[in-house]
């Protein structure tokens, strides 16, 4: 029986910035439209967090039963380490998805935008089939695309939509740097696991690109968000605040470009999450201010 601390570790709390930042930025874009509705923003945050934890447990379950977590380096995996039964982890994942669905349904009713049901269903299916099912797309180098779409475009623009009840160009533009930073977390995670993922048949983008090109891709996902944020300065001048987060880019890029592998990249994953949080806070403020 896994302990509460092990369940918390299995939820992968260091990945939660990927859920928090899009909602914050989407709310910043809603403030820019004079349409922020705080209870809807908080409910959107709950949906995002429930989906993030759900996908983490689902990945733990699917990778564990497939055996791809057996020799991995990194934080605890509940099924792979044997501290929790696969059925327990599966139940936890499905419980998170159900909680996200219920909260999302409240937002659908509030906005009367019934097409959001399809978006919610697509989000849950994407979360499950990342590593679940007989042909998981995460094993076919499509993980980063899914992360960009769902933790960038859908999460940011969706958060703005449920508050202002329309799609806005600002939320769509703001979603690009947010999606890139979410991809950065996955890229460095898969770079760390490249030596075990390949032999186990898990063809992540890192496995397909190879070590050196994955390191270049990681650097790009950290630098390009600043380019896109600064492109919004003519219409949202305080988006320039994001440059204050630039110093946080130096160490992770230096570490990755130096050829660090395995456990040495765990700290880089933490630094990437920290960068994502700081950039997201500054970007949110920059969009909200005028």
């Amino acid at each position: 029986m896994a302990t509460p601390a092990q369940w918390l570790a299995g939820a992968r709390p260091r990945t939660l910035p990927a859920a928090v930042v899009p909602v914050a930025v989407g709310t910043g874009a809603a403030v820019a439209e004079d349409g922020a509705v705080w209870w809807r923003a908080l409910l959107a945050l709950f949906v995002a967090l429930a989906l993030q934890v759900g996908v983490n447990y689902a990945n733990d379950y699917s990778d564990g039963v497939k055996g791809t977590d057996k020799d991995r380096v990194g934080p605890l995996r509940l099924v792979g380490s044997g501290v929790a039964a696969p059925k327990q982890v599966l139940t936890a994942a499905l419980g998170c998805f159900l909680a996200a669905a219920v909260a999302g349904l409240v937002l659908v009713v509030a906005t009367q935008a019934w097409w959001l049901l399809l978006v919610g269903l697509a989000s849950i299916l994407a979360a499950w089939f990342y590593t679940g099912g007989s042909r998981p797309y995460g094993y076919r180098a499509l993980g980063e695309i899914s992360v960009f779409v769902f933790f960038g475009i859908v999460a940011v623009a969706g958060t703005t939509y449920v508050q202002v009840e329309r799609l806005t160009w600002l939320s769509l533009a703001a979603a690009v740097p947010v999606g890139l930073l979410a991809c950065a977390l996955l890229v460095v995670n898969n770079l760390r696991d490249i030596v075990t993922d390949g032999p186990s048949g898990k063809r992540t983008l890192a496995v397909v690109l190879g070590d050196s090109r994955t390191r270049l891709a990681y650097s790009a996902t950290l630098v390009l968000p600043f380019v896109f944020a600064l492109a919004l300065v003519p219409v949202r001048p305080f988006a320039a605040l994001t440059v204050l987060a630039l110093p946080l880019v130096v160490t992770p890029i230096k570490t990755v470009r130096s050829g660090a592998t395995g456990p040495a990249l765990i700290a880089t994953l933490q630094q990437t999450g920290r960068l994502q949080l700081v950039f997201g806070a500054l970007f949110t403020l920059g969009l909200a201010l005028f």
Side-chain angles (χ1 to χ4, degrees):
M1 178 70 69
T3 66
Q6 289 171 327
W7 278 106
L8 178 60
R12 310 183 200 180
R14 292 192 179 97
T15 67
L16 297 186
V20 174
V21 169
V23 176
V25 171
T27 300
V31 172
E33 301 288 342
D34 296 321
V37 181
W38 296 106
W39 73 265
R40 294 186 185 185
L42 290 173
L43 205 54
L45 178 61
F46 178 84
V47 171
L49 287 170
L51 284 174
Q52 179 67 63
V53 175
V55 75
N56 288 342
Y57 283 141
N59 291 348
D60 191 309
Y61 167 79
S62 297
D63 283 342
V65 297
K66 289 181 173 73
T68 55
D69 270 352
K70 185 178 179 181
D71 300 312
R72 71 182 301 280
V73 175
L76 174 76
R77 293 296 180 262
L78 295 165
V79 176
S81 66
V83 300
K87 186 176 180 180
Q88 291 177 317
V89 179
L90 176 60
T91 300
L94 295 178
C96 290
F97 292 151
L98 178 61
V102 171
L105 183 59
V106 174
L107 289 172
V108 170
V109 172
T111 60
Q112 294 292 296
W114 300 105
W115 57 270
L116 286 175
L117 289 173
L118 296 177
V119 176
L121 178 60
S123 299
I124 292 173
L125 291 176
W128 174 254
F129 287 107
Y130 174 62
T131 55
S134 59
R135 297 178 64 84
Y137 67 86
Y139 287 18
R140 288 167 172 77
L142 296 174
E144 282 76 6
I145 293 175
S146 177
V147 165
F148 181 82
V149 170
F150 288 99
F151 287 93
I153 304 299
V154 171
V156 176
T159 296
T160 305
Y161 182 89
V162 298
Q163 295 180 69
V164 304
E165 299 190 21
R166 66 180 186 278
L167 285 174
T168 70
W169 72 266
L170 182 61
S171 65
L172 292 170
V176 175
V178 172
L180 287 170
L181 283 174
C183 286
L185 286 168
L186 184 57
V187 171
V188 73
N189 181 78
N190 289 342
L191 174 63
R192 183 195 63 205
D193 295 341
I194 196 170
V195 295
T196 56
D197 283 345
S200 69
K202 188 174 181 179
R203 287 178 57 80
T204 63
L205 183 62
V207 171
V208 171
L209 291 179
D211 186 271
S212 61
R213 284 185 290 184
T214 299
R215 294 176 190 276
L216 284 173
Y218 173 73
S219 300
T221 58
L222 292 197
V223 173
L224 286 176
F226 292 91
V227 176
F228 284 104
L230 291 176
L232 292 175
V233 167
V235 290
R236 307 305 298 178
F238 285 100
L241 288 171
T242 54
V243 299
L244 296 176
L246 266 175
L248 297 178
V249 169
V250 177
T251 298
I253 287 182
K254 184 178 180 180
T255 300
V256 167
R257 297 296 294 153
S258 71
T261 59
L265 291 173
I266 295 175
T268 303
L269 185 61
Q270 297 169 359
Q271 292 159 358
T272 305
R274 188 180 306 119
L275 168 64
Q276 188 180 37
L277 278 174
V278 174
F279 179 96
L282 293 169
F283 197 29
T284 300
L285 187 60
L287 293 175
L289 294 175
F290 187 74

